[in-house]
Amino acid sequence: MSSGFKSRHGGGVIAQFEAAEVSILRSLVTQVLGLVAPGETGDDPLERALGIGSPQQPTDPVLARLFPSAYADEAEAGEFRRYTEATLRDGKRADAQTMLDTARPGRTELTAEQAQAWLRSLNDVRLALGTRLEVTEEVHEEIATMSEDDPRYPAFVTYDWLTYLQDTLVRALW
């Protein structure tokens, strides 16, 4: 199993991954990539050209978590969303693609820029999985008492592993 990320002499980070770990990472990142596909725009050609989207908060809880409202006031939040969500989606897709392009079994070396993309992408994967699992602050206690026969066990352990990777990446970068 991966020992997490470590700082690399000369900048960036390194990690060692088994093939199964890379497969899991790629699968989860690909799922998030599908979720953050370009949003819908209006019929107006200018709106389409500029990527101006819908002011509506996503109804999917995962998308609502990945693209939260920036304002408490619904009208302000909607206007802000219309003009920013397309760019946020582009950034999340670029980060996910960086992770897909650089995740490999064995020694993985990342530049500081790639490591930042991994950090953001790992965060998106954790948010998506955590939302689906309805993770709370008691997740570690829940995993500790959960039977390995529980059908949710693999997903919770995966969430915990992603948290570990993210933590080691943060520590390696700072």
Side-chain angles (χ1 to χ4, degrees):
M1 181 170 175
S2 173
S3 59
F5 288 92
K6 306 224 181 317
S7 296
R8 185 176 72 178
H9 181 68
V13 298
I14 57 170
Q16 193 81 18
F17 292 107
E18 294 178 12
E21 293 172 317
V22 172
S23 179
I24 291 167
L25 286 171
R26 286 180 178 278
S27 176
L28 292 170
V29 170
T30 299
Q31 289 176 45
V32 170
L33 196 53
L35 284 171
V36 297
E40 294 185 25
T41 59
D43 292 332
D44 181 272
L46 182 60
E47 284 184 6
R48 280 197 308 273
L50 297 176
I52 297 173
S54 169
Q56 301 302 316
Q57 168 105 8
T59 55
D60 180 335
V62 172
L63 288 175
R65 186 72 175 109
L66 291 173
F67 302 104
S69 289
Y71 297 97
D73 178 79
E74 195 172 312
E76 287 181 43
E79 280 303 297
F80 185 78
R81 179 179 303 284
R82 285 186 71 212
Y83 296 104
T84 60
E85 190 171 308
T87 303
L88 292 173
R89 284 176 180 267
D90 290 346
K92 289 179 183 302
R93 284 194 310 279
D95 291 338
Q97 192 59 56
T98 296
M99 196 166 170
L100 289 173
D101 292 344
T102 56
R104 63 183 55 87
R107 183 180 171 98
T108 298
E109 297 185 24
L110 304 174
T111 65
E113 184 177 291
Q114 290 168 329
Q116 290 291 334
W118 268 66
L119 191 58
R120 292 185 297 265
S121 193
L122 278 171
N123 189 59
D124 289 342
V125 170
R126 284 186 63 252
L127 286 173
L129 184 57
T131 300
R132 291 282 189 242
L133 294 174
E134 298 178 350
V135 168
T136 65
E137 290 182 18
E138 290 81 31
V139 66
H140 297 292
E141 292 83 10
E142 191 170 353
I143 293 170
T145 61
M146 190 179 287
S147 165
E148 290 184 18
D149 295 330
D150 188 315
R152 303 170 305 150
Y153 185 77
F156 273 85
V157 170
T158 300
Y159 178 85
D160 194 45
W161 175 65
L162 293 167
T163 302
Y164 165 75
L165 284 181
Q166 186 178 34
D167 179 63
T168 62
L169 183 51
V170 167
R171 290 173 190 272
L173 287 170
W174 283 275

